Amino acid sequence: YETELNVVSSTTCDEAKMKPDKAEVRLGGVVSKVQVKLDKKGKNFAYVSLEDLTGTIELLVWSDTFAKAAHVLQPDEVIVVTGQVDAGEKSGQANVKVIARDIISLTDAVESRTETISFKIPRSKVDDETLAFLKQTTESFPGNAATYLKLADSDGEAIYKLQCSLKPCRELIEAAQKHLGPRGLELR
C-alpha cells in the first residue's frame, strides 16, 4: 500500500512526531493495536497504534470520531487519518500523538475523497517524454477529479488547471510514480 499512502498522506508517522503542537496532518498506515475505553459520558473512544514504513504513532480517537470510524479501526486495516498533533508530555517525556478528526479506509481516501489530482514536476524535468506521459495519462484515466499541473523551481511553484478530469485509481498512481517519482502525484 506504499504507493497509495504516498499520495494520500501529507506526512509519515515519524515526520508527524517532529511537527509542532497543533499542526494539521494527514497520515496513513496500518492499524496495529486498538484499545477501546469509556469516556466520562460512557461513550467509546480509543487509543490506536498506526504504523507506516517509518515508524509508529499513537492516535487518540475521541467518541464522535470513533462512532463514525469504528468499522475501520481494526488490526491490519489500512487507514488514512486527518488530525492534529498533540505534542504533550507524559512523565516528563515527550508523548507525541495525533488527535484524529477524520478516519477513513485507504480505498475510500483514494477513490471517493479525491477531489483534485495534481502532477508535481520540477520545471527542469519537463521534456518531450514527460509531456507524452501527461498526454497519455490524461487520455487513459478519464474521471471526475479536477486535474492540475504543478511546476516548481527555485522561484516557487506555478499551478495550471488542465482541461480534463481524471479517475483516481491504483493504475494512475503507479504510472505517475513510475514516471515522476514517489511524490510526483498528489491526491486531495
Side-chain angles (χ1 to χ4, degrees), residues 24-35:
E24 289 291 319
V25 293
R26 186 174 188 194
L27 62 159
V30 177
V31 174
S32 60
K33 183 177 173 186
V34 180
Q35 289 183 299

Side-chain angles (χ1 to χ4, degrees), residues 13 27-28 36 56 71 85 89-90 113 121 125 130 149 169:
C13 289
L27 62 159
V36 179
T56 303
H71 66 285
V85 172
E89 289 194 16
K90 186 178 189 179
R113 296 276 178 108
I121 306 171
K125 301 283 185 188
T130 300
L149 176 60
C169 61

Side-chain angles (χ1 to χ4, degrees), residues 21-157:
D21 193 42
K22 302 202 183 310
E24 289 291 319
V25 293
R26 186 174 188 194
L27 62 159
V30 177
V31 174
S32 60
K33 183 177 173 186
V34 180
Q35 289 183 299
V36 179
K37 301 191 179 246
L38 291 176
D39 65 15
K40 293 177 184 176
K41 296 178 183 176
K43 293 183 178 182
N44 287 337
F45 75 99
Y47 289 99
V48 176
S49 294
L50 184 73
E51 291 182 27
D52 67 12
L53 294 175
T54 68
T56 303
I57 195 163
E58 183 178 66
L59 308 175
L60 176 54
V61 185
W62 290 119
S63 59
D64 289 347
T65 304
F66 183 82
K68 294 181 224 168
H71 66 285
V72 295
L73 293 176
Q74 305 296 324
D76 299 323
E77 186 76 25
V78 184
I79 62 172
V80 176
V81 179
T82 304
Q84 192 175 69
V85 172
D86 178 358
E89 289 194 16
K90 186 178 189 179
S91 304
Q93 294 190 356
N95 184 32
V96 178
K97 60 183 155 285
V98 172
I99 299 174
R101 187 176 60 253
D102 186 46
I103 302 172
I104 57 175
S105 71
L106 178 60
T107 302
D108 284 348
V110 171
E111 293 176 6
S112 67
R113 296 276 178 108
T114 300
E115 294 178 5
T116 64
I117 297 174
S118 298
F119 293 98
K120 297 167 60 176
I121 306 171
R123 279 190 201 274
S124 62
K125 301 283 185 188
V126 176
D127 56 17
D128 289 343
E129 183 182 336
T130 300
L131 294 174
F133 164 76
L134 288 172
K135 182 179 187 305
Q136 178 198 3
T137 302
T138 56
E139 292 170 351
S140 300
F141 300 99
N144 296 320
T147 305
Y148 295 86
L149 176 60
K150 295 182 176 182
L151 299 177
D153 60 20
S154 60
D155 293 330
E157 185 176 71

